Amino acid sequence: MFEEGQYFAPVNTDADGTVVVELGETHPGFADAEYRDRRNAIAALALEWKPGLPMPTVDYTDAEHEIWRLASAELAIKHQALASREYLDGSERLKLPADHIPQLHEVSELLEPLTGFSYMPAAGLVPLREFYGVLADGRFHATQYIRHHSVPLYTPEPDVIHEVIGHANALAAPRFAALYRAAGDAARRVHSEEALEFVSRVFWFTLEFGVISEGDGLKAYGAGICSSYGEIDEFRDMTILPLDLVTMGTIDYDITHYQDKLFDAGSMDRLEDVVGEFWENCDDDAIERLKADAA
Ligand SMILES: [Fe+2]
Protein backbone atom coordinates (compact mmCIF):
# COMPACT_ATOMS: atom_id res chain seq x y z
CA MET A 1 0.00 0.00 0.00
CA PHE A 2 1.19 3.47 -0.83
CA GLU A 3 1.55 5.25 2.51
CA GLU A 4 2.97 8.65 1.81
CA GLY A 5 1.20 9.73 5.01
CA GLN A 6 3.93 8.26 7.17
CA TYR A 7 6.38 10.61 5.47
CA PHE A 8 4.67 13.72 6.89
CA ALA A 9 4.04 14.52 10.54
CA PRO A 10 0.24 14.53 11.13
CA VAL A 11 -1.30 17.96 11.69
CA ASN A 12 -4.30 18.17 14.02
CA THR A 13 -6.53 21.01 15.14
CA ASP A 14 -7.69 20.86 18.78
CA ALA A 15 -11.24 21.71 19.85
CA ASP A 16 -10.10 25.25 20.77
CA GLY A 17 -8.61 25.75 17.28
CA THR A 18 -4.98 25.21 18.27
CA VAL A 19 -3.00 23.60 15.46
CA VAL A 20 -0.63 20.84 16.57
CA VAL A 21 1.99 19.11 14.43
CA GLU A 22 2.51 15.63 15.86
CA LEU A 23 6.23 14.99 15.60
CA GLY A 24 7.32 11.41 16.24
CA GLU A 25 9.66 10.58 19.12
CA THR A 26 12.56 10.04 16.75
CA HIS A 27 12.15 13.45 15.10
CA PRO A 28 15.21 15.66 15.78
CA GLY A 29 12.93 18.44 17.05
CA PHE A 30 10.70 16.23 19.23
CA ALA A 31 12.02 17.50 22.60
CA ASP A 32 12.54 21.12 21.50
CA ALA A 33 9.51 23.11 22.71
CA GLU A 34 10.50 26.21 20.76
CA TYR A 35 10.76 24.22 17.53
CA ARG A 36 7.41 22.53 18.22
CA ASP A 37 5.74 25.95 18.67
CA ARG A 38 7.31 27.12 15.44
CA ARG A 39 6.03 24.10 13.55
CA ASN A 40 2.52 24.59 14.95
CA ALA A 41 2.49 28.27 13.98
CA ILE A 42 3.74 27.62 10.43
CA ALA A 43 1.21 24.80 9.92
CA ALA A 44 -1.57 27.11 11.18
CA LEU A 45 -0.63 29.70 8.54
CA ALA A 46 -1.11 27.13 5.78
CA LEU A 47 -4.43 25.91 7.22
CA GLU A 48 -5.76 29.47 7.39
CA TRP A 49 -4.91 30.13 3.76
CA LYS A 50 -7.63 29.95 1.13
CA PRO A 51 -7.34 30.34 -2.66
CA GLY A 52 -7.55 34.00 -3.57
CA LEU A 53 -5.79 35.16 -0.39
CA PRO A 54 -2.16 36.33 -0.54
CA MET A 55 0.37 33.58 0.07
CA PRO A 56 1.17 33.19 3.78
CA THR A 57 4.45 34.83 4.72
CA VAL A 58 6.59 33.09 7.34
CA ASP A 59 8.67 35.42 9.48
CA TYR A 60 11.77 33.21 9.35
CA THR A 61 14.40 33.75 12.04
CA ASP A 62 18.04 34.28 11.20
CA ALA A 63 18.80 30.83 12.61
CA GLU A 64 16.34 29.35 10.10
CA HIS A 65 17.86 31.33 7.23
CA GLU A 66 21.25 30.01 8.33
CA ILE A 67 20.06 26.40 7.86
CA TRP A 68 18.94 27.32 4.34
CA ARG A 69 22.28 29.04 3.59
CA LEU A 70 24.22 25.98 4.68
CA ALA A 71 22.05 23.38 2.93
CA SER A 72 21.76 25.52 -0.19
CA ALA A 73 25.54 25.94 -0.51
CA GLU A 74 26.29 22.27 0.18
CA LEU A 75 23.62 21.00 -2.21
CA ALA A 76 24.76 23.37 -4.98
CA ILE A 77 28.20 21.76 -4.86
CA LYS A 78 26.68 18.28 -5.01
CA HIS A 79 24.40 19.29 -7.87
CA GLN A 80 27.32 20.35 -10.05
CA ALA A 81 28.74 16.83 -9.83
CA LEU A 82 25.66 14.66 -9.46
CA ALA A 83 22.49 16.36 -10.75
CA SER A 84 21.26 15.82 -14.31
CA ARG A 85 21.85 18.38 -17.06
CA GLU A 86 18.18 19.26 -17.34
CA TYR A 87 17.92 19.82 -13.58
CA LEU A 88 21.05 22.00 -13.57
CA ASP A 89 19.66 24.01 -16.49
CA GLY A 90 16.50 24.56 -14.44
CA SER A 91 18.47 25.75 -11.42
CA GLU A 92 20.55 28.11 -13.57
CA ARG A 93 17.38 29.63 -15.00
CA LEU A 94 15.56 29.84 -11.67
CA LYS A 95 18.37 31.36 -9.61
CA LEU A 96 16.94 30.61 -6.18
CA PRO A 97 18.28 32.85 -3.43
CA ALA A 98 21.15 31.23 -1.51
CA ASP A 99 21.18 33.75 1.34
CA HIS A 100 17.62 33.42 2.69
CA ILE A 101 14.63 31.09 2.66
CA PRO A 102 12.39 32.37 -0.10
CA GLN A 103 8.72 32.92 0.65
CA LEU A 104 6.35 30.90 -1.54
CA HIS A 105 5.32 34.03 -3.48
CA GLU A 106 9.00 34.68 -4.17
CA VAL A 107 9.44 31.16 -5.57
CA SER A 108 6.35 31.64 -7.74
CA GLU A 109 7.62 34.98 -9.06
CA LEU A 110 10.82 33.28 -10.21
CA LEU A 111 9.11 30.18 -11.57
CA GLU A 112 6.00 31.49 -13.32
CA PRO A 113 7.80 33.33 -16.14
CA LEU A 114 9.80 30.16 -16.86
CA THR A 115 7.20 27.39 -16.93
CA GLY A 116 3.98 28.85 -15.51
CA PHE A 117 4.24 26.94 -12.20
CA SER A 118 3.39 28.60 -8.91
CA TYR A 119 3.50 27.44 -5.30
CA MET A 120 0.71 27.12 -2.75
CA PRO A 121 1.00 26.34 0.98
CA ALA A 122 0.56 22.93 2.60
CA ALA A 123 0.46 22.30 6.35
CA GLY A 124 1.59 18.72 5.88
CA LEU A 125 0.28 15.82 3.85
CA VAL A 126 -2.12 16.87 1.11
CA PRO A 127 -4.54 14.16 -0.10
CA LEU A 128 -2.97 12.49 -3.15
CA ARG A 129 -5.69 13.37 -5.60
CA GLU A 130 -5.49 17.03 -4.65
CA PHE A 131 -1.69 17.15 -4.46
CA TYR A 132 -1.26 15.60 -7.91
CA GLY A 133 -4.41 17.06 -9.44
CA VAL A 134 -3.35 20.71 -9.14
CA LEU A 135 -0.09 19.93 -10.93
CA ALA A 136 -2.26 19.90 -14.06
CA ASP A 137 -2.98 23.59 -13.38
CA GLY A 138 0.69 24.41 -12.83
CA ARG A 139 0.28 24.59 -9.05
CA PHE A 140 2.54 22.94 -6.50
CA HIS A 141 1.72 22.34 -2.81
CA ALA A 142 4.67 23.06 -0.52
CA THR A 143 5.34 22.98 3.19
CA GLN A 144 7.09 26.04 4.62
CA TYR A 145 8.75 24.79 7.81
CA ILE A 146 12.47 24.07 7.91
CA ARG A 147 14.28 21.11 9.44
CA HIS A 148 15.64 21.16 13.02
CA HIS A 149 18.88 23.12 13.46
CA SER A 150 20.64 20.17 15.14
CA VAL A 151 20.77 18.31 11.81
CA PRO A 152 20.90 20.97 9.08
CA LEU A 153 21.66 18.45 6.34
CA TYR A 154 18.98 15.92 7.27
CA THR A 155 15.20 15.92 7.44
CA PRO A 156 12.85 13.01 8.12
CA GLU A 157 10.03 14.81 6.25
CA PRO A 158 9.65 17.15 3.27
CA ASP A 159 10.58 20.65 4.45
CA VAL A 160 10.99 23.91 2.52
CA ILE A 161 14.46 22.83 1.38
CA HIS A 162 12.99 19.72 -0.23
CA GLU A 163 9.98 21.54 -1.67
CA VAL A 164 11.92 24.45 -3.11
CA ILE A 165 15.48 23.31 -3.82
CA GLY A 166 14.36 19.81 -4.78
CA HIS A 167 11.21 20.56 -6.77
CA ALA A 168 11.42 24.17 -7.98
CA ASN A 169 14.74 23.64 -9.76
CA ALA A 170 13.12 20.81 -11.71
CA LEU A 171 9.89 22.77 -12.25
CA ALA A 172 11.99 25.55 -13.82
CA ALA A 173 13.03 23.16 -16.60
CA PRO A 174 10.30 23.01 -19.30
CA ARG A 175 10.64 19.28 -20.00
CA PHE A 176 10.28 18.37 -16.32
CA ALA A 177 7.47 20.90 -15.87
CA ALA A 178 5.57 19.19 -18.70
CA LEU A 179 6.00 15.84 -16.95
CA TYR A 180 4.67 17.25 -13.66
CA ARG A 181 1.63 18.60 -15.52
CA ALA A 182 1.09 15.24 -17.21
CA ALA A 183 1.18 13.50 -13.80
CA GLY A 184 -1.51 15.95 -12.68
CA ASP A 185 -3.63 15.20 -15.72
CA ALA A 186 -3.30 11.48 -15.05
CA ALA A 187 -4.30 11.88 -11.38
CA ARG A 188 -7.44 13.74 -12.46
CA ARG A 189 -8.28 11.20 -15.17
CA VAL A 190 -8.12 8.01 -13.12
CA HIS A 191 -11.02 7.07 -10.87
CA SER A 192 -10.02 4.18 -8.62
CA GLU A 193 -7.71 4.57 -5.65
CA GLU A 194 -5.61 1.70 -7.04
CA ALA A 195 -5.08 3.51 -10.33
CA LEU A 196 -4.19 6.73 -8.47
CA GLU A 197 -1.72 4.77 -6.36
CA PHE A 198 -0.09 3.43 -9.51
CA VAL A 199 0.20 6.95 -10.98
CA SER A 200 1.71 8.27 -7.76
CA ARG A 201 4.21 5.40 -7.48
CA VAL A 202 5.45 6.17 -10.97
CA PHE A 203 5.82 9.81 -9.86
CA TRP A 204 7.71 8.64 -6.76
CA PHE A 205 10.27 6.65 -8.76
CA THR A 206 10.75 9.36 -11.40
CA LEU A 207 10.14 12.96 -10.32
CA GLU A 208 10.97 12.20 -6.66
CA PHE A 209 13.70 9.58 -6.96
CA GLY A 210 14.61 9.31 -10.62
CA VAL A 211 18.13 8.96 -11.99
CA ILE A 212 19.37 9.24 -15.54
CA SER A 213 22.48 8.08 -17.42
CA GLU A 214 24.49 10.89 -18.94
CA GLY A 215 27.81 10.90 -20.79
CA ASP A 216 29.79 11.27 -17.57
CA GLY A 217 27.84 8.84 -15.42
CA LEU A 218 24.58 8.35 -13.57
CA LYS A 219 22.94 11.62 -12.46
CA ALA A 220 19.94 12.43 -10.29
CA TYR A 221 16.91 14.45 -11.33
CA GLY A 222 14.39 13.40 -8.65
CA ALA A 223 13.60 16.08 -6.07
CA GLY A 224 13.98 13.63 -3.19
CA ILE A 225 17.58 12.87 -4.14
CA CYS A 226 18.50 16.39 -5.26
CA SER A 227 17.38 17.86 -1.93
CA SER A 228 19.05 15.24 0.26
CA TYR A 229 22.68 15.77 1.16
CA GLY A 230 23.07 12.14 2.22
CA GLU A 231 21.05 10.51 -0.53
CA ILE A 232 22.73 12.36 -3.39
CA ASP A 233 26.06 10.94 -2.24
CA GLU A 234 24.80 7.38 -2.20
CA PHE A 235 22.41 6.90 -5.09
CA ARG A 236 25.07 5.47 -7.37
CA ASP A 237 25.55 2.58 -4.92
CA MET A 238 21.90 1.57 -5.04
CA THR A 239 20.37 -1.13 -7.24
CA ILE A 240 19.76 0.60 -10.56
CA LEU A 241 16.91 -0.83 -12.63
CA PRO A 242 15.82 0.02 -16.16
CA LEU A 243 12.82 2.33 -16.49
CA ASP A 244 9.73 0.13 -16.38
CA LEU A 245 6.19 1.31 -15.63
CA VAL A 246 4.88 -1.93 -14.18
CA THR A 247 7.84 -2.41 -11.86
CA MET A 248 7.69 1.21 -10.67
CA GLY A 249 3.93 1.04 -10.23
CA THR A 250 3.90 -2.17 -8.21
CA ILE A 251 7.26 -2.57 -6.43
CA ASP A 252 7.29 -2.44 -2.63
CA TYR A 253 9.31 0.31 -1.07
CA ASP A 254 9.97 1.91 2.28
CA ILE A 255 9.87 5.69 2.24
CA THR A 256 11.45 5.97 5.68
CA HIS A 257 14.85 4.84 4.41
CA TYR A 258 17.03 5.71 1.46
CA GLN A 259 15.53 4.26 -1.68
CA ASP A 260 17.60 1.17 -2.46
CA LYS A 261 16.08 0.54 -5.89
CA LEU A 262 16.23 3.36 -8.39
CA PHE A 263 15.17 3.57 -12.02
CA ASP A 264 17.47 4.89 -14.72
CA ALA A 265 15.45 6.83 -17.29
CA GLY A 266 18.28 6.41 -19.80
CA SER A 267 17.59 9.79 -21.42
CA MET A 268 15.11 12.66 -21.26
CA ASP A 269 13.60 11.43 -24.54
CA ARG A 270 12.99 8.00 -23.05
CA LEU A 271 11.56 9.46 -19.84
CA GLU A 272 9.09 11.45 -21.94
CA ASP A 273 8.29 8.52 -24.23
CA VAL A 274 7.67 6.02 -21.43
CA VAL A 275 6.47 8.02 -18.43
CA GLY A 276 5.18 11.20 -20.08
CA GLU A 277 3.22 9.19 -22.64
CA PHE A 278 1.81 6.96 -19.88
CA TRP A 279 0.59 9.92 -17.79
CA GLU A 280 -0.83 11.63 -20.86
CA ASN A 281 -2.94 8.65 -21.89
CA CYS A 282 -3.49 6.28 -18.96
CA ASP A 283 -6.88 5.46 -17.53
CA ASP A 284 -8.12 2.89 -15.01
CA ASP A 285 -8.44 0.14 -17.64
CA ALA A 286 -4.96 0.70 -19.06
CA ILE A 287 -3.47 0.54 -15.57
CA GLU A 288 -5.40 -2.63 -14.76
CA ARG A 289 -4.04 -4.21 -17.96
CA LEU A 290 -0.48 -3.24 -17.03
CA LYS A 291 -0.88 -4.76 -13.58
CA ALA A 292 -2.47 -7.91 -15.00
CA ASP A 293 0.40 -8.33 -17.47
CA ALA A 294 2.84 -8.22 -14.56
CA ALA A 295 0.93 -10.68 -12.38
FE1 LIG B 1 8.58 15.90 -2.95
Side-chain angles (χ1 to χ4, degrees):
M1 181 60 196
F2 188 71
E3 292 180 316
E4 199 171 42
Q6 63 181 270
Y7 197 36
F8 286 85
V11 179
N12 296 314
T13 305
D14 288 351
D16 65 354
T18 309
V19 174
V20 180
V21 179
E22 308 288 355
L23 299 186
E25 282 180 30
T26 58
H27 191 287
F30 177 75
D32 180 342
E34 198 180 327
Y35 182 77
R36 302 289 296 260
D37 287 347
R38 194 79 188 122
R39 290 291 302 268
N40 296 345
I42 293 172
L45 278 179
L47 291 179
E48 284 159 16
W49 182 81
K50 298 279 178 293
L53 292 176
M55 283 296 122
T57 300
V58 178
D59 189 13
Y60 291 113
T61 64
D62 198 53
E64 288 172 326
H65 286 305
E66 188 52 36
I67 299 169
W68 175 275
R69 285 192 278 272
L70 177 70
S72 182
E74 295 294 336
L75 286 170
I77 295 167
K78 299 284 183 197
H79 290 166
Q80 286 308 316
L82 295 164
S84 81
R85 188 63 257 164
E86 194 75 15
Y87 181 92
L88 283 173
D89 286 349
S91 73
E92 283 158 20
R93 284 154 54 90
L94 188 63
K95 294 187 177 59
L96 283 172
D99 62 340
H100 67 277
I101 306 169
Q103 300 292 338
L104 296 188
H105 70 80
E106 219 177 321
V107 179
S108 300
E109 281 155 21
L110 294 171
L111 201 47
E112 274 191 288
L114 299 175
T115 58
F117 263 88
S118 60
Y119 270 47
M120 57 201 292
L125 179 68
V126 175
L128 292 188
R129 206 172 286 277
E130 193 184 333
F131 175 83
Y132 289 110
V134 298
L135 295 174
D137 303 326
R139 307 277 276 154
F140 188 85
H141 283 101
T143 55
Q144 290 175 280
Y145 59 85
I146 198 156
R147 59 199 59 187
H148 193 254
H149 59 80
S150 62
V151 282
L153 297 175
Y154 167 77
T155 177
E157 52 188 337
D159 67 347
V160 68
I161 291 174
H162 169 75
E163 308 283 36
V164 177
I165 295 181
H167 285 290
N169 283 325
L171 286 166
R175 296 177 79 174
F176 284 133
L179 287 165
Y180 276 79
R181 283 182 194 270
D185 287 332
R188 283 196 173 154
R189 195 181 312 115
V190 298
H191 295 287
S192 73
E193 292 309 306
E194 291 74 21
L196 179 63
E197 181 187 318
F198 192 101
V199 166
S200 57
R201 279 170 176 257
V202 172
F203 184 97
W204 180 265
F205 283 113
T206 56
L207 296 174
E208 286 287 0
F209 285 95
V211 295
I212 187 165
S213 290
E214 294 191 344
D216 54 346
L218 194 66
K219 302 294 177 79
Y221 67 88
I225 302 181
C226 289
S227 62
S228 167
Y229 185 80
E231 211 144 358
I232 199 168
D233 258 344
E234 301 204 8
F235 72 85
R236 287 178 165 175
D237 299 328
M238 302 303 172
T239 302
I240 306 296
L241 302 171
L243 199 65
D244 181 82
L245 287 173
V246 177
T247 314
M248 289 191 287
T250 54
I251 198 171
D252 282 333
Y253 66 96
D254 181 351
I255 61 173
T256 60
H257 296 98
Y258 286 176
Q259 298 303 305
D260 60 355
K261 293 189 183 71
L262 301 174
F263 293 84
D264 175 8
S267 67
M268 281 303 293
D269 285 346
R270 183 156 164 74
L271 183 63
E272 288 165 341
D273 288 348
V274 175
V275 175
E277 186 110 327
F278 164 69
W279 281 330
E280 280 162 22
N281 298 301
C282 68
D283 58 18
D284 292 56
D285 290 345
I287 291 171
E288 276 310 310
R289 281 197 299 276
L290 280 172
K291 287 164 77 172
D293 287 350

